[in-house]
Amino acid sequence: MKRFLSLVQPSGSLTIGNYIGSIRQFVKLQESYDTFIGVADMHSITVPQNPEFLHRRNREVLAWFVAAGLSDKHCTFFIQSDVRLHAELAWIFECITNMGELSRMTQFKVKTEGKTDKKIPCGLFTYPVLMAADILIYDADIVPVGSDQKQHVELARNIAECFNSRFGDTFVVPEPVIPNVGGRVRDLQDPSKKMSKSATSPKGVIFLDDDEAAIRKKISSAATDMDACVDYDEASKPGVSNLISIYASLNEIGLPEAIAKFKGETRYSVFKKAIADCVVEHLMPIQERYRKVLADGMVDEYLDKGAKRAREVAGRKLDEVFAKVGFGRA
Ligand code: AQP
């Protein structure tokens, strides 16, 4: 059975972007793959985190996974820091990755915009290498990601190919899988940016744990344009197009169908209400399940079981890598 893997950072409350761009895809794939789903707490400290929040969020992210429909029958759930082998492999990968490749990473440029070198932690520069280790240590065949992470999966492919050519066939070269619609959910207030959990303002971000009133308020005040005519055009109508994409993704319909439903509507209030109804309808049942999952106390059991298996799989791969690079005694 082929393997798929994805990790989500517990760097804040999860957003509808995380849900549409990644978690929902995992739910569809889980039965057809040997599925590894992780909480990337080691990645999240590239920006300062409150340790207490981080502990709590690790469990909460897992609870969202389960509430969204992922099951321990199909998934190996783990917290990244429970499998420290990732960091050991990342060190080896850092030694075969050059600075030029990392300097080209768009996420690095976005996250360091306007900052001087003194304010940029090295981890922010090298985390794509840790991400490569996350993926390659499990020999993942596919990695479903939002479009913002595609470049990082490409880096993982380059690293796998580089290692394989230097030390012999060792790693599976993974494929990124990007959703056709919803690969980049945009911030509702500033559609030039992607919706992010750590956005400077929460106004443009729909968090999975937002209550109905907050969701409706955020959507009704989403930035649109002065045309007063609903249509899809990412360049000239990014705000309206974003809302249509969210609608299409959540309803699992194609963009043309979603566009046809709203095209020509002149009242943005009516259009936004339909989007808000759709988001509320989708999120409320997930929120209810989330509360139950946290209350039923199963999260730790899933994580313990998952960490055990993840350590076994990762450990075998790392032993092979250590031997190939010449570590230890022959
Ligand atoms: N806005 C988005 N649209 C589509 N997909 C998205 N993803 C994140 N935001 C969007 C996808 O969610 C997965 C997990 O992401 P992550 O938490 O590991 O890191 P991220 O991409 O950096 O997510 P955020 O929300 O922007 O976090 P912060 O603010 O902490 O940096 C990935 O597959 C990602 O593509």
Side-chain angles (χ1 to χ4, degrees):
M1 196 180 216
K2 288 201 168 192
R3 186 169 285 164
F4 107 69
L5 168 133
S6 198
L7 270 64
V8 175
Q9 294 187 66
S11 43
S13 294
L14 297 190
T15 73
I16 201 169
N18 298 128
Y19 176 68
I20 291 173
S22 63
I23 301 171
R24 222 183 35 158
Q25 293 197 74
F26 306 166
V27 176
K28 289 194 197 130
L29 294 168
Q30 63 178 338
E31 286 182 37
S32 318
Y33 288 85
D34 180 16
T35 301
F36 279 67
I37 301 290
V39 184
D41 56 349
M42 287 158 78
H43 282 285
S44 68
I45 64 162
T46 50
V47 292
Q49 300 289 336
N50 174 320
E52 247 176 68
F53 287 177
L54 196 53
H55 278 315
R56 207 183 61 216
R57 286 218 189 94
N58 278 337
R59 303 174 79 256
E60 289 174 353
V61 170
L62 200 274
W64 283 118
F65 290 156
V66 177
L70 289 170
S71 157
D72 70 317
K73 285 196 191 79
H74 306 296
C75 304
T76 298
F77 294 123
F78 63 97
I79 295 176
Q80 187 187 24
S81 62
D82 277 341
V83 192
R84 298 174 192 184
L85 306 158
H86 293 215
E88 295 178 20
L89 182 59
W91 170 247
I92 296 170
F93 286 168
E94 278 184 35
C95 297
I96 61 167
T97 307
N98 59 54
M99 305 263 290
E101 270 181 296
L102 295 183
S103 308
R104 283 195 290 277
M105 296 293 129
T106 310
Q107 286 272 299
F108 176 72
K109 290 183 196 154
V110 170
K111 291 189 173 183
T112 56
E113 211 177 340
K115 289 188 181 148
T116 58
D117 282 357
K118 279 187 183 163
K119 299 266 180 199
I120 301 172
C122 294
L124 209 49
F125 186 65
T126 58
Y127 88 84
V129 180
L130 177 58
M131 184 169 159
D134 300 333
I135 297 167
L136 301 182
I137 205 165
Y138 297 106
D139 276 332
D141 297 280
I142 64 159
V143 185
V145 285
S147 58
D148 58 307
Q149 295 286 345
K150 185 166 180 256
Q151 201 183 19
H152 294 163
V153 182
E154 274 157 10
L155 177 77
R157 289 171 59 83
N158 292 346
I159 291 176
E161 280 164 358
C162 170
F163 191 98
N164 289 350
S165 79
R166 266 172 73 173
F167 299 102
D169 230 12
T170 310
F171 294 108
V172 168
V173 180
E175 291 291 340
V177 175
I178 316 282
N180 293 336
V181 183
R184 183 180 169 87
V185 177
R186 294 162 185 275
D187 187 282
L188 300 184
Q189 288 297 319
D190 180 357
S192 68
K193 295 190 177 136
K194 80 162 184 152
M195 189 182 281
S196 265
K197 5 178 160 66
S198 52
T200 41
S201 161
K203 285 188 189 158
V205 182
I206 300 176
F207 295 103
L208 295 186
D209 55 6
D210 275 345
D211 62 22
E212 179 172 346
I215 294 170
R216 290 191 182 279
K217 191 166 175 211
K218 286 175 183 179
I219 294 176
S220 74
S221 56
T224 46
D225 48 61
M226 304 301 280
D227 292 353
C229 184
V230 176
D231 200 357
Y232 190 93
D233 184 329
E234 284 186 20
S236 66
K237 298 172 82 64
V240 170
S241 304
N242 187 37
L243 293 175
I244 295 177
S245 294
I246 292 174
Y247 183 90
S249 307
L250 289 178
N251 285 315
E252 300 191 54
I253 58 175
L255 259 184
E257 195 181 330
I259 295 167
K261 181 173 168 59
F262 297 111
K263 196 172 165 73
E265 173 61 67
T266 52
R267 295 156 304 170
Y268 279 172
S269 58
V270 172
F271 165 62
K272 285 175 168 179
K273 182 176 178 306
I275 307 297
D277 288 344
C278 158
V279 173
V280 166
E281 196 181 299
H282 277 83
L283 288 195
M284 292 302 121
I286 298 176
Q287 290 188 0
E288 205 177 312
R289 288 198 293 276
Y290 168 76
R291 287 188 286 269
K292 277 195 194 136
V293 173
L294 275 184
D296 78 9
M298 290 299 288
V299 166
D300 291 306
E301 205 169 293
Y302 297 148
L303 287 172
D304 289 344
K305 187 173 81 169
K308 186 166 177 284
R309 174 155 190 249
R311 275 190 218 112
E312 281 164 12
V313 174
R316 280 196 296 274
K317 180 57 68 178
L318 200 62
D319 285 348
E320 184 187 346
V321 171
F322 271 36
K324 284 185 171 166
V325 299
F327 284 175
R329 285 159 292 172

